[in-house]
């Protein structure tokens, strides 16, 4: 598996996000203004893009936000989500991040907790789905 880093939203990342978040989960607003300033990661199995996420600077230069992490259904449960998350942490460190925050879907909370993220905010709803802020010190 190869992970590539992009400074703009690549079509492969968008295709994965639409498949997972729009077609599977019913979200509507998949593309936003953050895509133009975020660093995007895409994991490939040969030539096939299978997972993606993005990172971007938060309100402080040392606080980055991870978002839009998703893996195609046929590749889930094989550790690829964790691998791309760890790559995102490394990319964020190179950009000066000391902590990485994310707005987890409630159903994914345990996945992030297993990788060292802790709850860092109240339960909120995004497009009708329950989410919770989580954070990790990545220094």
């Amino acid at each position: 598996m190869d992970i590539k880093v992009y400074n703009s939203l690549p079509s492969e990342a968008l295709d994965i996000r639409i498949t997972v978040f729009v077609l599977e989960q019913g979200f509507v607003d998949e593309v936003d203004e953050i895509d133009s300033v975020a660093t995007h990661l895409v994991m490939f199995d040969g030539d096939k893009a299978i997972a993606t996420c993005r990172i971007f600077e938060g309100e402080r230069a040392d606080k980055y936000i991870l978002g839009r992490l998703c893996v195609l259904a046929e590749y889930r449960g094989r550790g690829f989500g964790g691998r791309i998350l760890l790559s995102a942490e490394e990319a964020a460190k190179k950009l000066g991040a000391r902590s990485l925050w994310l707005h987890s879907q409630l159903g994914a909370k345990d996945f992030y907790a297993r990788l060292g993220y802790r709850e860092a905010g109240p339960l909120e709803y995004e497009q009708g789905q329950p989410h919770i802020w989580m954070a990790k010190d990545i220094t």
Side-chain angles (χ1 to χ4, degrees):
M1 298 295 157
D2 186 31
I3 298 174
K4 295 182 182 176
V5 179
Y6 300 86
N7 290 322
S8 61
L9 178 62
S11 61
E12 296 91 346
L14 183 57
D15 291 345
I16 295 168
R17 286 169 42 180
I18 288 171
T19 298
V20 174
F21 294 126
V22 177
L23 300 176
E24 288 180 20
Q25 298 181 4
F27 287 93
V28 177
D29 299 322
E30 186 43 41
V31 177
D32 59 24
E33 68 282 351
I34 293 168
D35 282 322
S36 65
V37 297
T39 298
H40 301 268
L41 289 84
V42 180
M43 178 182 279
F44 291 87
D45 179 9
D47 291 336
K48 182 175 176 69
I50 65 164
T52 191
C53 67
R54 69 181 186 185
I55 56 173
F56 57 96
E57 191 174 311
E59 69 268 3
R60 297 188 329 252
D62 65 343
K63 175 184 174 181
Y64 269 66
I65 312 284
L66 176 127
R68 304 300 205 266
L69 190 149
C70 56
V71 178
L72 292 176
E74 62 267 29
Y75 288 88
R76 291 182 198 146
R78 300 184 350 202
F80 299 128
R83 286 180 55 193
I84 199 166
L85 177 57
L86 293 175
S87 293
E89 290 176 5
E90 289 303 314
K93 282 184 204 178
K94 289 178 184 174
L95 294 169
R98 298 176 57 79
S99 64
L100 194 59
W101 291 67
L102 55 92
H103 204 215
S104 172
Q105 291 183 31
L106 197 57
K109 182 179 77 163
D110 291 343
F111 162 76
Y112 291 112
R114 284 192 302 273
L115 293 167
Y117 287 80
R118 60 176 167 66
E119 292 183 29
L123 183 67
E124 301 172 326
Y125 285 81
E126 186 174 317
Q127 294 190 46
Q129 298 294 320
H131 284 69
I132 190 160
W133 280 102
M134 301 183 81
K136 180 179 180 180
D137 178 358
I138 59 171
T139 57

